[in-house]
Amino acid sequence: MKLLIVGGGGREHALAWKLKQDSPSVELIAAPGNPGIAEYARCLPVALSDVNALASLAEEEAVDLTVVGPEAPLEAGISDMFARRGLNIFGPTAAAARIETSKAFAKDLMVRAGVPTGRAETHTDPVEAKRAVAAMGAPVVVKASGLAAGKGVIVAQSSAEANRAVDSMLSDRMFGAAGREILVEEFLEGEELSLFVITDGKTFLPFIGAQDHKRLLDGDLGPNTGGMGAYAPASLATPALISEISSTIIEPTLAALRECGSEFRGLLYAGLMLTRDGPKVIEFNCRFGDPETQAILPLMTSSLLELLLAVGCDGSLSNVAAPSWSDLSAVTTVIAAEAYPERPRKGDAIHLPKPPAGVQVFHSGTAMENGQLVTNGGRVLTVTAVANSVATAAERSRAYAGEVVFSGKQFRRDIGWREVSRSA
Ligand code: AMP
Ligand code: GLY
């Protein structure tokens, strides 16, 4: 069995690590991969945006299944291309991926399907958008409709701040084409929850819940980032809540995607706000989350490979058992580069001590330069500790993150704090 993993971050490192655990005999290749993934896979320098070259690679290598990590190749139609060339792939078509790649499409679909989500208006004209800001009142959220690497969302505390966001997106084109269309959205209050479901388009199986930490600094302060850490399981995600989310959110969303001819096959990630009125969708992603994947997969005791093959090769999950989970806790701390998220510096030498038992290091943005591991991205490493309590896992993840050495290192020392205080 041979698999191609598309991507080169911590999420893809965790996928490779888990697939190799599921089946040590599986042969992995990765494009482009990274020095951490290289421990399990042959890494080949093919650009994520070149879906033609990725399909040719899968063909030449006679790959049984390709697993796509990031959203960009999905938006670029990698699944459509693979299907045309008769190649198996895990990941939705570009049309189905619009659930993430166009927030305007996603909002419209949710409204039509009666899926609970914040009220919102879509605008392309700054005057109209500011009228919507005034009508909604602060706090209010302004979002670029397209992909903006996690930076296209402004949670504005005042109308003036929201109006500045409108201008920077619609007039100054801060996010280019991704911000040609924006959403002005109701501010939702509550705790956030990330829930992944794997689906063949009709049947789906939920994973355990996780919580991300989007802000750069301890105490959930500072700017939004791609995610500074995560933990799983989130005790908020009780079986009853997961079943409510399944029936009020996941089922109608998958049905609406089928009805519009864009059946979604792959991993659907619901970013939820648990409000006083029940769970509401903040956003959907069309792929595994990063860094939630690095916290969730170390707790999966059943085979991920079996799930990916069922969706990507057989096209059906109906004969596959739900995944099973360890009853331990996982806490993942992201170690970011100097000046992340604004202008992360690259090329700083990294000293990586040997991790103790129960601690797993996933490479997010690293490169090998003349035999030296160096920083090569905003998020550099993700450190997952698994232990019998969230407090112990948090302590071990933090302690190891403290031992990693590179210039300008940033990491949060409070990942999992909500769960730690709930469990105290
Ligand atoms: P997104 O990229 O859509 O996940 O948004 C990034 C972050 O902005 C989310 O994780 C939330 O913390 C916050 N956010 C987005 N939309 C809203 C909303 N309607 N109300 C409150 N916070 C939001
Ligand atoms: N953890 C946020 C994301 O993957 O988009």
Side-chain angles (χ1 to χ4, degrees):
M1 168 90 47
K2 195 169 182 180
L3 266 67
L4 164 63
I5 296 179
V6 174
R11 163 185 49 207
E12 291 77 25
H13 188 172
L15 286 166
W17 171 83
K18 172 63 175 151
L19 292 170
K20 209 59 188 174
Q21 283 204 333
D22 291 344
S23 169
S25 66
V26 75
E27 183 182 348
L28 298 180
I29 58 177
N34 69 34
I37 295 172
E39 200 182 314
Y40 313 99
R42 196 154 39 89
C43 297
L44 298 157
V46 181
L48 287 181
S49 53
D50 195 345
V51 298
N52 241 318
L54 290 165
S56 298
L57 175 66
E59 231 162 52
E60 283 154 21
E61 293 275 350
V63 159
D64 296 291
L65 177 69
T66 297
V67 180
V68 186
E71 60 279 14
L74 294 167
E75 182 180 45
I78 189 170
S79 286
D80 309 75
M81 170 67 72
F82 272 55
R84 275 202 294 281
R85 294 172 63 165
L87 298 162
N88 291 328
I89 191 156
F90 181 86
T93 60
R98 283 180 298 167
I99 197 74
E100 169 169 3
T101 61
S102 168
K103 289 187 196 288
F105 169 84
K107 188 63 77 174
D108 189 51
L109 184 120
M110 286 188 271
V111 170
R112 277 190 284 121
V115 169
T117 183
R119 276 181 301 117
E121 285 183 20
T122 301
H123 289 287
T124 51
D125 175 63
V127 176
E128 302 271 322
K130 287 177 192 171
R131 207 170 283 150
V133 165
M136 207 82 84
V140 61
V141 185
V142 179
K143 300 184 173 183
S145 179
L147 293 180
K151 294 186 191 137
V153 174
I154 306 292
V155 180
Q157 296 307 324
S158 67
S159 301
E161 190 187 351
N163 288 339
R164 280 197 299 277
V166 167
D167 281 331
S168 67
M169 290 185 200
L170 289 180
S171 308
D172 307 339
R173 288 288 151 85
M174 183 175 168
F175 300 113
R180 202 158 42 202
E181 198 174 34
I182 65 167
L183 269 69
V184 177
E185 185 172 280
E186 172 192 7
F187 174 78
L188 299 172
E189 252 187 286
E191 273 208 48
E192 288 184 48
L193 176 70
S194 301
L195 186 69
F196 298 177
V197 306
I198 188 162
T199 178
D200 58 17
K202 300 177 186 81
T203 308
F204 64 91
L205 297 170
F207 285 13
I208 48 175
Q211 208 168 39
D212 192 2
H213 298 60
K214 297 259 175 176
R215 303 294 189 124
L216 181 68
L217 305 172
D218 283 18
D220 292 326
L221 300 172
N224 260 323
T225 68
M228 291 300 289
Y231 68 85
S235 62
L236 291 167
T238 58
L241 184 69
I242 292 182
S243 138
E244 179 186 350
I245 294 165
S246 295
S247 57
T248 62
I249 293 172
I250 308 297
E251 271 171 29
T253 299
L254 293 177
L257 283 161
R258 280 198 306 274
E259 276 156 29
C260 73
S262 308
E263 186 170 81
F264 186 101
R265 287 179 295 273
L267 193 289
L268 181 66
Y269 158 161
L272 305 161
M273 191 70 89
L274 305 180
T275 74
R276 273 198 327 213
D277 306 326
K280 295 189 180 181
V281 177
I282 300 174
E283 63 159 1
F284 281 114
N285 292 315
C286 62
R287 45 147 184 101
F288 286 90
D290 190 338
E292 291 96 322
T293 300
Q294 295 93 303
I296 290 173
L297 292 185
L299 299 176
M300 187 186 266
T301 52
S302 53
S303 170
L304 174 69
L305 180 61
E306 188 190 359
L307 296 172
L308 299 182
L309 291 172
V311 172
C313 297
D314 307 340
S316 173
L317 268 179
S318 41
N319 294 318
V320 182
S324 46
W325 306 97
S326 142
D327 50 18
L328 301 175
S329 297
V331 173
T332 299
T333 300
V334 170
I335 311 179
E338 161 117 15
Y340 176 73
E342 292 306 322
R343 291 172 308 283
R345 193 170 70 195
K346 295 184 180 178
D348 286 306
I350 303 170
H351 169 67
L352 211 52
K354 186 173 158 25
V359 173
Q360 186 68 39
V361 181
F362 299 113
H363 290 227
S364 296
T366 69
M368 201 58 92
E369 265 176 24
N370 306 321
Q372 170 66 55
L373 190 69
V374 298
T375 62
N376 190 40
R379 293 187 290 177
V380 177
L381 296 158
T382 40
V383 179
T384 299
V386 174
N388 58 12
S389 77
V390 65
T392 307
E395 197 182 292
R396 290 185 185 159
S397 174
R398 175 169 56 237
Y400 181 81
E403 287 172 25
V404 170
V405 182
F406 64 82
S407 173
K409 171 181 91 164
Q410 310 185 64
F411 69 100
R412 279 181 61 164
R413 287 162 180 78
D414 66 344
I415 302 302
W417 68 270
R418 285 195 170 82
E419 193 72 16
V420 172
S421 38
R422 266 193 287 273
S423 68

